[in-house]
């Protein structure tokens, strides 16, 4: 473990510059995991960090010491507390941060991905310009919990591997296949299952649908909803029946209702005549 006390150290400067620049992180195909939970989730899924930084006062913390024991051969920096706060986004840093190469990402890829080359055959979640990092992270976490492995983010979405999204998703990234900057319209055209556009009003009731086929769920921007072109391309429009005095749900809450209704139906179908396993 190398101890760093100077801001002029080149390794520290490079880490600090990366921490403060989401565009650079995307360009280089790197992400920063802050906190024991995220690092443990990455390790549990076989993702080995390029570099780890630990605050000097956290080195002997049992949870952090146990994580460091799982990282033979990985460079570890021990940072003076004031330096660690410069690379942390948290008001109260938790003492450990890791730099990773983003899994399954082509570095410096800015062009919109060709959707047919992705071609997930199973359930998937499509996000159209969902801009709030907390919402994107919660949507990823919900997808993982509902057993939906593929998540496709169109242009205009918050970056999936930014620190705020990573914190909101609580480790879900590492059990998902995440595709960014996807041409969602091209994907919908090529998808072999059913595509469902979620709309606040005027769609078929969520509870009247059949989820026996693979399903592509489309969720839109927090204010504007789905683009009209995507709504028109989907096989069906879907609405969650709400109380009379309620206009709409937050996009992450709506996705949770929809994905778990799909999961509920399938669990019952696989356990006919028995008690619900939910």
């Amino acid at each position: 473990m190398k101890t760093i006390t100077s801001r002029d150290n080149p390794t520290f400067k490079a880490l600090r510059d990366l921490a403060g620049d989401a565009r650079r992180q995307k360009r280089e195909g790197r992400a920063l995991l802050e906190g024991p939970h995220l690092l443990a989730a990455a390790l549990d899924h076989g993702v080995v960090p390029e570099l780890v930084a630990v605050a000097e006062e956290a080195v002997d913390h049992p949870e952090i010491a146990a994580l460091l024991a799982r990282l033979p051969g990985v460079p570890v920096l021990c940072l003076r507390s004031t330096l660690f706060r410069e690379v942390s986004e948290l008001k109260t840093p938790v003492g450990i941060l890791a730099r990773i190469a983003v899994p399954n990402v082509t570095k410096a890829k800015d062009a919109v991905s060709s959707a047919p080359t992705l071609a997930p055959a199973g359930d998937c979640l499509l996000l159209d310009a969902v801009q709030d990092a907390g919402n994107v992270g919660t949507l990823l976490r919900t997808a993982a919990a509902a057993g939906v492995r593929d998540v496709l983010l169109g242009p205009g979405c918050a970056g999936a591997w930014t620190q705020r999204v990573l914190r909101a998703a609580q480790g879900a990234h590492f059990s998902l296949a995440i595709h960014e900057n996807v041409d969602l319209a091209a994907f919908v055209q090529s998808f072999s299952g059913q595509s469902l556009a979620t709309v606040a009003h005027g769609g078929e009731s969520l509870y009247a649908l059949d989820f026996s086929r693979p399903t592509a769920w489309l969720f839109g921007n927090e204010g504007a909803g789905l683009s009209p072109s995507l709504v028109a391309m989907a096989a069906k429009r879907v609405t969650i029946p709400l109380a009379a005095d309620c206009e709409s749900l937050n996009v992450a809450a709506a996705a949770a209702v929809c994905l778990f209704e799909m999961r509920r139906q399938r669990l019952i179908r696989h356990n006919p005549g028995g008690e619900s396993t939910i």
Side-chain angles (χ1 to χ4, degrees), residues 102-167:
V102 172
N104 303 319
V105 168
T106 301
K107 294 181 180 180
K109 186 172 183 180
D110 295 321
V112 175
S113 300
S114 175
T117 64
L118 301 173
D123 300 320
C124 49
L125 181 65
L126 280 60
L127 306 182
D128 178 28
V130 179
Q131 297 176 339
D132 182 82
N135 280 336
V136 171
T138 303
L139 284 158
L140 295 175
R141 188 177 184 183
T142 299
V148 176
R149 184 175 185 274
D150 286 279
V151 181
L152 286 62
L153 288 76
C157 286
W161 292 89
T162 59
Q163 285 164 270
R164 283 190 62 202
V165 173
L166 281 158
R167 287 198 299 274

Side-chain angles (χ1 to χ4, degrees), residues 17 30 34 39 69 72 96 121 135 143 149 152 165 180 215 244 247 254 264 277:
D17 292 346
R30 285 173 165 157
E34 185 161 4
L39 179 52
I96 190 166
N135 280 336
R149 184 175 185 274
L152 286 62
V165 173
E180 295 195 80
T215 301
E247 181 178 346
R264 183 194 69 83
T277 56

Side-chain angles (χ1 to χ4, degrees), residues 17-275:
D17 292 346
L18 186 68
D21 191 342
R23 290 183 179 180
R24 182 172 178 177
Q25 292 173 23
K26 185 174 183 179
R27 185 171 64 250
E28 295 184 6
R30 285 173 165 157
L32 298 177
L33 312 178
E34 185 161 4
H37 179 78
L38 284 180
L39 179 52
L43 293 174
D44 289 345
H45 287 84
V47 177
V48 179
E50 300 174 334
L51 178 72
V52 172
V54 183
E56 58 185 353
E57 70 275 11
V59 170
D60 295 325
H61 187 283
E63 186 176 18
I64 290 176
L67 285 172
L68 295 180
R70 298 175 63 183
L71 298 169
V74 175
V76 179
L77 308 178
C78 177
L79 301 182
R80 194 173 59 192
S81 297
T82 53
L83 297 185
F84 191 88
R85 284 195 290 271
E86 291 185 29
V87 297
S88 171
E89 279 199 342
L90 302 178
K91 290 183 179 179
T92 307
V94 289
I96 190 166
L97 180 145
R99 188 185 73 202
I100 65 167
V102 172
N104 303 319
V105 168
T106 301
K107 294 181 180 180
K109 186 172 183 180
D110 295 321
V112 175
S113 300
S114 175
T117 64
L118 301 173
D123 300 320
C124 49
L125 181 65
L126 280 60
L127 306 182
D128 178 28
V130 179
Q131 297 176 339
D132 182 82
N135 280 336
V136 171
T138 303
L139 284 158
L140 295 175
R141 188 177 184 183
T142 299
V148 176
R149 184 175 185 274
D150 286 279
V151 181
L152 286 62
L153 288 76
C157 286
W161 292 89
T162 59
Q163 285 164 270
R164 283 190 62 202
V165 173
L166 281 158
R167 287 198 299 274
Q170 287 291 296
H173 285 70
F174 304 108
S175 58
L176 296 169
I178 299 171
H179 316 273
E180 295 195 80
N181 212 32
V182 173
D183 183 337
L184 299 181
F187 176 82
V188 171
Q189 287 182 322
S190 68
F191 187 66
S192 59
Q194 64 176 343
S195 53
L196 303 179
T198 55
V199 294
H201 306 285
E204 293 185 44
S205 169
L206 169 68
Y207 304 116
L209 297 179
D210 177 5
F211 296 110
S212 58
R213 299 172 60 199
T215 301
W217 290 95
L218 287 82
F219 289 90
N221 175 270
E222 290 86 351
L226 277 170
S227 66
S229 60
L230 282 175
V231 173
M233 292 180 67
K236 293 181 179 180
R237 296 188 302 162
V238 182
T239 296
I240 300 170
L242 302 178
D245 58 348
C246 184
E247 181 178 346
S248 64
L249 284 173
N250 165 275
V251 62
V257 172
C258 292
L259 296 185
F260 277 93
E261 170 59 17
M262 179 174 71
R263 184 166 176 80
R264 183 194 69 83
Q265 284 193 23
R266 291 176 179 172
L267 286 170
I268 292 174
R269 186 177 296 115
H270 292 151
N271 187 29
E275 295 182 0

